[in-house]
Amino acid sequence: WPLIRQRAPETQGLLDRMAADQAHVIPAADRLRQAAAWYRSDAGDQARADFRDAVSGLSQVLLPHLRSVEDKAMPLMSGILTEAE
């Protein structure tokens, strides 16, 4: 978000929080990919439980992040960026 940071320095805190959220979303998504691969190859109880836990783990970090993007970041950015940008 360099352009947003440049044009609206007051957004630094929000953008930093968004980046921090991403730092949690990425490993949770990776864990889900791994759990899904295991579950595809072994539909046993442990693989299913791991998959279920990985879905839950991703949901716990991704859904609040997406809510924040929708409620805070996108309205702010739509006032800073043009449609062409």
Side-chain angles (χ1 to χ4, degrees):
W1 303 103
L3 187 56
I4 300 292
R5 287 183 187 275
Q6 177 186 8
R7 289 188 184 165
E10 70 278 6
T11 65
Q12 300 304 322
L14 175 61
L15 296 176
D16 290 346
R17 283 189 301 280
M18 292 293 168
D21 286 352
Q22 285 293 326
H24 297 287
V25 169
I26 292 169
D30 289 342
R31 179 173 177 241
L32 179 55
R33 277 190 283 280
Q34 292 169 352
W38 182 27
Y39 188 46
R40 268 194 306 272
S41 68
D42 174 3
D45 291 342
Q46 187 58 49
R48 183 175 27 260
D50 193 57
F51 178 72
R52 182 188 61 237
D53 291 346
V55 169
S56 177
L58 179 59
S59 295
Q60 289 174 8
V61 295
L62 181 60
L63 297 179
H65 172 68
L66 293 177
R67 175 61 56 204
S68 185
V69 168
E70 186 177 324
D71 292 347
K72 297 175 184 169
M74 294 315 289
L76 178 70
M77 291 174 196
S78 68
I80 296 169
L81 298 175
T82 67
E83 282 192 42
E85 292 171 319

